[in-house]
Amino acid sequence: MKTPPDFLRRRVLAAGLALGLMSGVSGHALAQDYDVLIRGGLLFDGTGAEGRAADVAIKGDRIVEVGEIPAAATAATVVDATGKYVSPGFIDTHSHAAPGIETPELAPAISVLTQGITTAMINPDGGGPADLRPQVAAIETNRPGVNVIPMIGHNGVRRAVMGLENRKPTAAELAEMQGLVRQAMTFGALGMSSGPFYVPGKYSDTAEIVALAKVAAEFPNAFHTSHIRDESSYDIGVLASVAELIEVSRQTGITGVVSHMKMLGPTVWGQSDDAIKMIEAARAEGLSIWADQYPYAASSTGLSAALIPGWAQEGGQEALSKRLQNPEQRALIREGMVENLARRAGANAIMISSYSADPSLEGMRLDEIARRDLKDPLDTAIDLLIKGGAGIVSFNMNEDDLELLMKQPWMMTSSDGALVTFGEGAEHPRAYGAYPRKLRRYVIERQVISMAQAIHSSSGLPAQVFSIPDRGVIKPGAYADVLVFDPETVRDVATYPKPHAYSQGMEYVFVNGKAALAAGEVTSERAGRVILRGR
């Protein structure tokens, strides 16, 4: 039977109308399918590009749309970001969030989240366990509030094989250390950290670090980040220490990162220019050399690491305490402490941040304690060391060096901050304020760098350097680690006298698509993940 032309025409029109209606319904359904819609903000996407007006839509744990999203679109959560900045979550390249984040009490990581940090790289300075599996299991069991990237630490590996001995490894011991690094990298570590400033890494030579970095370099996109051997003039000096980091990369091909780069103490102030030239020359040579930095002119470490000659630290705290109680060895150690105290800019530049033997000393300067006890500051320091040692904040950097280093395009941001119980100890304020401080003090107030560079150095650049997949940028397909912050109010509140104070201005912090902070308040969401190679 022949179909009449008019009837056929009506069927085609009806089919077209139905298809059009289905298309409209489908688009509307997709619009309603968003879990989060961030509207009206100024977007800094983490690439280093200047801010632009753009909306951001999230579905599940991913960003799905960026740009001008139709007004009809809806979502379960709509954030009005008018007058606010939108950026990727910050990646802390040097975090001491472990072991705190391994505990149920500190796993929410509130002091980290309120800085806008959504990913923390742990086990820096060569620290952490030689076997990462129990650490990762503990973190996952306690459901972290932020993403966590565990590195394998040279010092942890050396300690497991050789203890705290001041000697070179035997061939068998070196092979065992290499095996532990390979095991960790196979398990999923993205890279290796070292800390030859600290015992037992202090007793290693460049060849030992190279041997372990070679193992890490067998894995694609691996890296070596290092608390270099000397940030001051203790032994080989800061410039030779930067050169050592570069040499490890030259011999292995591995990406090299100078951790929390600084010129520590008056004896090396001004040498940042020479260090920058060294790094630029290495990069021109084709090596992948980078650095990170926290935005404070004070550092933090242990009293023994700051003042005690390396040879006297062998065997750890108990062995040091015994040496200091032997009159002959005490005199010899004290002699070596004189120049080390000067490198730290003197007794007034050292503040006790933690001292379990007498917490009342926390927050006091070394010279203040010495005057109270009618003693020489060196003898006061020795008394503290005999009773177990102390954590210190050390005021030893120059703002000119800090700002010059910050301007470099290869400089990333870090906190070097611990994750601690709120209110306990005279912690360095960087544990609460590093990232907002950089935005407030060095971008908004002092205009040392632009907002775009500050955000790039804290997000997209670390993701690139450490090959962290699908993070550090705002683009469709990336994980939804997203910040909404107020440029008028973002600031660090923590100070040296009163370090326990959460930063302000982060209004929304999304971790893998879940709001860990909403309207400036901490939520019950714990959406962080352990990020491992191939997982």
Side-chain angles (χ1 to χ4, degrees), residues 174-377:
L174 184 60
E176 187 177 352
M177 285 192 279
Q178 289 176 312
L180 289 173
V181 172
R182 185 172 288 108
Q183 172 185 289
M185 296 296 292
T186 301
F187 172 66
L190 299 192
M192 164 185 152
S193 77
S194 70
F197 175 70
Y198 292 110
V199 171
K202 184 180 288 287
Y203 306 134
S204 69
D205 58 14
T206 306
E208 179 180 324
I209 299 174
V210 166
L212 301 189
K214 275 184 179 177
V215 173
E218 295 170 5
F219 296 78
N221 302 315
F223 57 82
H224 166 228
T225 178
S226 183
H227 182 308
I228 56 175
R229 194 173 295 277
D230 187 354
E231 296 175 323
S232 183
S233 56
Y234 281 93
D235 37 62
I236 68 171
V238 63
L239 298 180
S241 296
V242 171
E244 181 181 39
L245 179 281
I246 293 170
E247 184 60 26
V248 171
S249 291
R250 183 176 288 118
Q251 292 191 36
T252 64
I254 202 167
T255 290
V257 180
V258 181
S259 286
H260 49 49
M261 190 173 181
K262 63 177 76 74
M263 302 295 122
L264 192 154
T267 58
V268 295
W269 286 350
Q271 291 187 19
S272 55
D273 188 56
D274 291 329
I276 288 167
K277 289 174 182 175
M278 291 174 64
I279 290 177
E280 294 285 5
R283 289 168 61 83
E285 182 185 329
L287 300 179
S288 180
I289 305 296
W290 311 81
D292 66 57
Q293 171 198 55
Y294 53 81
Y296 294 88
S299 63
S300 183
T301 188
L303 187 61
S304 59
L307 297 185
I308 297 296
W311 65 265
Q313 296 180 47
E314 182 180 8
Q317 177 57 47
E318 187 175 345
L320 172 61
S321 181
K322 288 180 180 178
R323 290 188 187 102
L324 289 171
Q325 292 176 74
N326 176 297
E328 290 182 3
Q329 292 206 10
R330 176 185 173 121
L332 192 59
I333 293 169
R334 191 184 188 283
E335 185 179 337
M337 292 171 66
V338 174
E339 287 189 3
N340 289 347
L341 183 60
R343 290 184 178 97
R344 290 276 163 176
N348 180 254
I350 292 178
M351 184 183 82
I352 306 302
S353 61
S354 61
Y355 184 51
S356 57
D358 183 1
S360 70
L361 300 187
E362 294 171 357
M364 295 179 67
R365 303 290 180 115
L366 184 59
D367 64 336
E368 181 184 0
I369 300 169
R371 284 195 302 271
R372 185 198 68 178
D373 296 342
L374 301 178
K375 289 185 175 182
D376 183 278

